[in-house]
């Protein structure tokens, strides 16, 4: 019954069976190559074998020093296995006869080989299948093959345990609908795992450091997303305790669900608009179900992260059309693609950057890849004839980027008009405020756009210079830092002076601890994952504007994030004890 | 000149508890590779290359398994006796 502590990122408790990713359930997608690329693929295989073999030597020596020769000998066997010409020959034959890609040929061969061990009678030899898997992973790493999970084949709901999750894995998981919870080694409260888990209302604990080493597939886990705790193989007493907690949570949720159809307004009648953040169009239903009055952030990256060819204008139009119809006359803010950084396309046409968060990402990428950008804008503009569509540009860091993006948008609109398309002639254009540069120059940006949305996830990471996905510094990442709160205050003021409306759409918007403060800072629109809407509405309906003013003034007097957090936690508990 | 040079074969029984698992296979392959002769290892009707760790692992040679070692080449005799000795010694394991 070991207990592991990490960062709870999505409230809720769940008990279920674990599936550990990246160790057993990995697979490479089937891919073939044109006949003239066969020699190249075979060359890749040979080089992968060589590279894998040579990298083992030092590892073996290090292991021998630490754990003795006996364990190190296992690697000795791997080394010899990789030096054997036979496997390469068989893999090369697969490439020649079936035109498989190097990665796929390796995985097909290794899988077949692995199965032979699994079928053996001796349990000891069956175990050797793991050695085979280890060699396979090494090889795939060297051919640059994407290792995929077989998540699509999950038969019953499970808890996913992994070192970290890639966006592609998350997209695939999302489709299976068979995920009860997540536990990951890496990640902070705004890692992709955390965002997805929060969006789906799935309990998750991240930043556990070494959970993958302690859990095997099939273990029973308790994921306590509220306290950031994972219990491995709980005893009956622990189980009973968590069953009680789960029952209480269900009750609390039921009372919150009753708030769905009432307005999010303070006790003295100030209305706050609560919108939904979505990744996929079908999440719109869940947002409206939870009481959101529109979509404040439709992330469009998923379109570009899926398997297969890049979606063209028509394919995108269908998606935006489905979304705007689902929103039914309420606002739908579509954010243009925010690719790059941590969301590299799995297809691999992207060159690795040394510092992707400061590299060619987001609007910068769009402005350098105009045909892709134009296709997206054309699809959005065409869909605008069907409802209240608004366009938002991400990661603006200088006013010229906004001007260029608007220029491309206007060009696209002129083209579409000439071709006889109908669309909304005055599509509101907005910018994300997620760089310190944009926050500082918000007034000038506000004069040239209709709305601004403060993206706190990136704003915090760029302002505090903390990589939110790096568990070694993740604890330094917090929305409660006085610098962040002052930046938000400044943006809200400057937006008003420049004549733009302002909202906040980072994870901070969905964290009940910050609700009173954000209202006090002057925000009247908050956009968050569907699952947070009821709680935030509950808080708003429990306070007055005088409360919000008082809390804001007090918070602005603090010098450390500790004071801010403690104070906000107390104030929030005062208005709602069930937090 | 030793007798039967050019081809040699012998029957051996696996005596170590864990059978031909990774480490013994490694030793066997290392030793086999020191000879010029081609080395075949047969278990019943199955035949694998004694210099290939990949194939050797698939033999599923547990304790008590009878194997036939066959070498072809200039040093066939020496190869077979050295390999047989390695197997009979139980690879220095229990």
């Amino acid at each position: 019954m070991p207990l592991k502590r990490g960062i709870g990122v999505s409230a809720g408790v769940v008990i279920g069976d674990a599936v550990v990713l990246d160790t057993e359930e990995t697979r490479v997608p089937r891919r073939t190559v044109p006949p003239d690329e066969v020699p190249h693929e075979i060359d890749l295989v040979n080089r992968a074998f060589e590279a894998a073999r040579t990298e083992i030597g030092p590892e073996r020596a290090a292991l021998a020093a630490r754990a003795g020769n006996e364990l190190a000998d296992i690697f000795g066997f791997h080394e010899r296995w990789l030096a054997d010409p036979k496997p390469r020959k068989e893999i090369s034959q697969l490439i020649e006869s079936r035109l498989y890609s190097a990665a796929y040929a390796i995985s097909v061969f290794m899988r077949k080989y692995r199965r032979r061990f699994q079928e053996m009678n001796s349990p000891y030899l069956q175990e050797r299948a793991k050695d085979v898997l280890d060699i396979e992973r090494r090889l795939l790493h060297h051919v640059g093959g994407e290792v995929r999970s077989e998540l699509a084949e999950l038969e019953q709901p499970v808890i996913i345990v992994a070192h970290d999750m890639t966006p592609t894995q998350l997209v695939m998981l999302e489709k299976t609908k068979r995920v009860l919870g997540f536990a990951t080694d890496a990640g902070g409260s705004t890692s992709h795992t955390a965002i997805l888990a929060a969006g789906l209302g799935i309990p998750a604990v991240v930043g556990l450091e070494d959970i993958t080493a302690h859990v095997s597939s099939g273990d029973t886990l308790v994921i306590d997303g509220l306290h950031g705790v994972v219990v491995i193989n709980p005893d009956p007493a622990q189980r009973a305790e968590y069953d009680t907690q789960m029952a209480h949570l269900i009750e609390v949720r039921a009372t919150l669900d009753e708030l769905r159809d009432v307005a999010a307004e303070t006790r003295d009648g100030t209305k706050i608009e609560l919108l939904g953040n979505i990744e996929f169009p079908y999440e719109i239903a869940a947002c409206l179900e939870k009481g959101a009055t529109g979509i404040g952030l439709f992330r469009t990256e998923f379109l570009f992260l899926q398997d297969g060819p890049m979606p063209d204008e028509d394919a995108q139009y269908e998606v935006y059309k489905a979304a705007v119809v689902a929103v039914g006359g309420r606002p739908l803010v579509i954010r243009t693609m925010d690719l790059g950084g941590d969301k590299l396309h799995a297809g691999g046409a992207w060159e690795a950057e040394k510092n992707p968060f400061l590299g060619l990402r987001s609007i910068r990428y769009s402005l350098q890849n105009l045909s892709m950008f134009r296709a997206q804008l054309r699809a959005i503009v065409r869909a605008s004839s069907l409802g209240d569509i608004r366009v938002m540009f991400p990661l603006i860091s200088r006013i010229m980027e906004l001007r260029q993006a608007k220029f491309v948008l206007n060009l696209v609109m002129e083209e579409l008009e000439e071709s006889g398309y109908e669309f909304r002639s005055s599509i509101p254009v907005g910018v994300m405020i997620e760089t310190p540069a944009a926050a500082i120059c918000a007034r000038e940006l506000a004069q040239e756009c209709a709305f601004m949305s403060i993206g706190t996830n990136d704003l915090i990471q760029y302002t505090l210079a903390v990589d939110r996905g790096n568990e070694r510094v993740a604890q330094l990442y917090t929305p409660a830092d006085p610098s962040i709160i002052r930046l938000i205050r400044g943006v809200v003021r400057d937006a008003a002076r420049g004549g733009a409306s302002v909202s906040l759409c980072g994870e901070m918007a969905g964290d009940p601890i910050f609700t009173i403060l954000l209202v006090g800072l002057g925000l009247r629109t908050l956009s968050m994952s569907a699952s947070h809407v009821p709680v935030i509405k509950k808080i708003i309906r429990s306070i007055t504007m005088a409360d919000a003013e008082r809390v804001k003034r007090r918070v602005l007097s603090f010098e450390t994030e500790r004071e801010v957090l403690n104070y906000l936690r107390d104030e929030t508990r005062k208005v709602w004890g069930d937090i | 000149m030793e007798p039967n040079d050019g081809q040699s074969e012998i029957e051996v029984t696996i005596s170590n508890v864990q059978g031909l698992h990774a480490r013994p296979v490694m030793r066997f392959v290392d030793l086999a590779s020191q000879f010029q002769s081609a080395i075949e290892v047969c278990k019943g009707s199955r035949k694998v290359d004694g210099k290939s760790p990949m194939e050797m692992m698939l033999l599923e040679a547990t304790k008590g398994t009878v194997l036939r070692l066959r070498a072809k080449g200039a040093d066939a005799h020496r190869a077979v006796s050295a390999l047989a000795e390695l197997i009979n010694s139980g690879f220095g394991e229990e």
Side-chain angles (χ1 to χ4, degrees):
Chain A
M1 315 131 256
L3 197 134
K4 302 281 296 172
R5 283 183 195 283
I7 306 165
V9 289
S10 179
V13 174
V14 74
I15 302 178
D17 292 337
V19 165
V20 183
L21 287 194
D22 298 327
T23 56
E24 292 164 47
E25 320 288 330
T26 49
R27 191 160 70 94
V28 170
R30 184 190 174 99
R31 195 164 286 164
T32 54
V33 297
D36 61 343
E37 276 183 46
V38 164
H40 172 71
E41 295 298 306
I42 291 177
D43 190 42
L44 271 180
V45 170
N46 284 323
R47 278 201 250 165
F49 269 84
E50 268 324 292
R53 195 178 59 80
T54 49
E55 85 185 350
I56 288 180
E59 281 181 30
R60 183 188 180 184
L63 189 64
R66 241 186 15 247
N69 281 323
E70 201 158 304
L71 264 172
D73 269 356
I74 298 292
F75 278 113
F77 175 74
H78 292 185
E79 232 173 332
R80 282 163 183 77
W81 198 97
L82 287 161
D84 189 349
K86 291 245 152 94
R88 302 177 200 198
K89 215 171 114 193
E90 291 207 37
I91 291 167
S92 301
Q93 279 164 0
L94 278 174
I95 296 174
E96 275 164 356
S97 61
R98 313 227 181 133
L99 300 178
Y100 288 160
S101 69
Y104 187 61
I106 288 172
S107 80
V108 166
F109 172 79
M110 296 300 275
R111 211 215 266 270
K112 226 173 65 192
Y113 187 63
R114 200 161 78 221
R115 200 160 292 150
R116 301 272 296 268
F117 286 99
Q118 285 160 347
E119 286 162 1
M120 289 179 179
N121 290 320
S122 147
Y124 189 87
L125 286 171
Q126 284 170 15
E127 274 295 294
R128 301 281 67 76
K130 286 198 180 135
D131 286 304
V132 180
L133 191 71
D134 198 69
I135 295 171
E136 176 182 359
R137 289 221 310 274
R138 243 178 233 286
L139 289 171
L140 286 176
H141 170 72
H142 285 290
V143 291
E146 319 145 45
V147 176
R148 287 290 172 88
S149 63
E150 287 181 22
L151 295 169
E153 294 164 25
L154 286 178
E155 288 190 355
Q156 48 182 350
V158 293
I159 291 170
I160 300 292
V161 179
H163 177 70
D164 200 2
M165 310 272 317
T166 65
T168 314
Q169 280 177 319
L170 291 173
V171 168
M172 270 192 334
L173 264 176
E174 165 52 29
K175 287 182 188 158
T176 69
K177 303 256 165 220
R178 295 196 192 282
V179 180
L180 296 171
F182 293 105
T184 62
D185 293 341
S189 58
T190 51
S191 62
H192 285 287
T193 311
I195 291 174
L196 182 95
L200 300 172
I202 294 175
V205 179
V206 302
L208 286 153
E209 292 180 354
D210 58 355
I211 188 77
T212 48
H214 289 85
V215 176
S216 312
S217 291
D219 281 349
T220 300
L221 296 188
V222 176
I223 303 284
D224 179 350
L226 192 63
H227 301 101
V229 168
V230 174
V231 185
I232 304 165
N233 293 322
D235 60 34
Q238 286 170 321
R239 254 202 109 108
E241 184 192 321
Y242 278 107
D243 281 337
T244 315
Q245 276 193 31
M246 280 163 78
H248 176 68
L249 274 172
I250 289 168
E251 262 174 53
V252 171
R253 281 213 184 122
T255 60
L256 288 175
D257 283 346
E258 288 164 13
L259 295 177
R260 192 183 69 193
D261 298 320
V262 300
E265 59 179 27
T266 59
R267 278 163 47 203
D268 45 353
T270 298
K271 277 212 168 70
I272 311 292
E273 196 171 10
L274 300 185
L275 304 175
N277 290 352
I278 61 165
E279 193 105 33
F280 306 96
Y282 66 78
E283 290 176 273
I284 291 170
C287 288
L288 302 180
E289 170 71 29
K290 291 285 180 191
T293 52
I295 299 302
L297 175 63
F298 178 14
R299 306 182 177 96
T300 53
E301 292 78 62
F302 85 96
L303 285 165
F304 307 95
L305 291 169
Q306 285 171 327
D307 291 338
M310 281 280 173
D312 62 9
E313 177 187 327
D314 287 338
Q316 290 188 57
Y317 170 74
E318 290 304 324
V319 172
Y320 304 144
K321 180 177 142 187
V324 73
V325 168
V327 176
R330 302 176 186 89
L332 171 66
V333 178
I334 302 181
R335 181 178 72 181
T336 62
M337 56 196 170
D338 184 15
L339 292 167
D342 55 342
K343 294 170 192 157
L344 290 182
H345 188 268
W350 303 66
E351 255 178 67
E353 292 182 332
K354 262 195 177 156
N355 208 340
F357 281 105
L358 304 182
L360 184 63
R361 58 174 296 203
S362 210
I363 193 69
R364 301 170 184 174
Y365 181 84
S366 294
L367 290 173
Q368 283 193 30
N369 291 271
L370 282 178
S371 61
M372 211 171 142
F373 191 38
R374 281 163 47 124
Q376 179 168 39
L377 290 175
R378 282 177 64 101
I380 294 172
V381 172
R382 281 169 58 191
S384 73
S385 63
L386 301 165
D388 185 0
I389 281 185
R390 308 172 186 185
V391 184
M392 180 159 70
F393 299 121
L395 205 81
I396 296 290
S397 58
R398 44 178 57 193
I399 201 156
M400 280 313 291
E401 285 168 339
L402 171 60
R403 289 180 186 159
Q404 285 167 13
K406 278 171 72 177
F407 178 77
V408 178
L409 177 65
N410 286 333
L411 218 62
V412 159
M413 288 168 87
E414 277 171 29
E415 284 168 11
L416 287 169
E417 193 166 12
E418 277 169 27
S419 315
Y421 283 102
E422 287 202 2
F423 52 87
R424 188 177 177 190
S425 58
S426 56
I427 300 175
V429 172
V431 298
M432 293 274 290
I433 303 294
E434 44 191 345
T435 63
I440 292 164
C441 294
R443 184 169 181 176
E444 288 71 19
L445 288 169
Q447 285 164 353
E448 299 191 22
C449 68
F451 66 97
M452 330 227 265
S453 190
I454 305 172
T456 43
N457 298 1
D458 273 338
L459 184 61
I460 295 165
Q461 124 159 316
Y462 287 128
T463 304
L464 300 180
V466 170
D467 175 358
R468 63 199 195 193
N470 179 345
E471 62 264 46
R472 294 153 82 183
V473 292
Q475 78 281 359
L476 299 176
Y477 175 96
T478 169
D481 195 277
S483 63
I484 303 301
I485 292 163
R486 284 174 210 180
L487 272 183
I488 294 173
R489 178 184 60 166
V491 172
V492 173
R493 280 188 188 163
D494 284 348
R497 288 180 185 145
S501 66
V502 63
S503 65
L504 190 143
C505 69
E507 287 297 296
M508 189 182 188
D511 188 340
I513 296 284
F514 296 108
T515 310
I516 310 175
L517 172 67
L518 293 177
V519 172
L521 286 169
L523 283 152
R524 296 294 174 265
T525 306
L526 300 173
S527 193
M528 65 201 72
S529 306
S531 62
H532 296 308
V533 173
V535 181
I536 303 301
K537 191 189 275 188
K538 172 81 188 170
I539 307 269
I540 290 168
R541 290 180 59 84
S542 310
I543 60 171
T544 63
M545 286 310 290
D547 291 333
E549 260 305 308
R550 175 177 52 82
V551 166
K552 176 199 77 174
R553 268 201 307 273
R554 191 72 203 279
V555 166
L556 285 170
S557 75
F558 291 135
E559 289 167 353
T560 69
E561 110 277 351
R562 235 336 91 205
E563 293 165 282
V564 172
L565 274 180
N566 288 338
Y567 175 72
L568 287 180
R569 203 165 281 140
D570 289 346
E571 288 295 318
T572 311
R573 283 223 178 88
K574 273 188 216 162
V575 298
W576 191 43
D578 262 329
I579 196 82
Chain B
M1 275 292 249
E2 294 178 50
N4 267 344
D5 222 356
Q7 178 149 349
S8 177
E9 82 181 56
I10 197 172
E11 242 181 28
V12 290
T13 305
I14 300 294
S15 60
N16 59 313
V17 175
Q18 301 287 14
L20 275 191
H21 64 90
R23 200 173 320 115
V25 163
M26 183 170 109
R27 297 250 167 83
F28 187 96
V29 167
D30 281 355
L31 185 57
S33 303
Q34 287 173 17
F35 299 99
Q36 289 168 15
S37 300
I39 314 281
E40 267 181 5
V41 182
C42 314
K43 175 185 163 189
S45 59
R46 272 171 69 191
K47 208 162 52 176
V48 304
D49 181 347
K51 293 182 183 179
S52 163
M54 179 198 104
E55 294 191 357
M56 283 294 291
M57 276 307 282
L58 290 178
L59 261 188
E60 202 181 353
T62 46
K63 188 183 177 184
T65 304
V66 177
L67 297 179
R68 181 157 278 280
L69 310 179
R70 187 181 293 150
K72 281 177 194 164
D75 49 10
H77 188 77
R78 280 194 295 132
V80 161
S81 43
L83 291 168
E85 201 191 318
L86 178 67
I87 287 180
N88 290 330
S89 76
F91 298 94
E93 297 183 8
E94 305 263 300

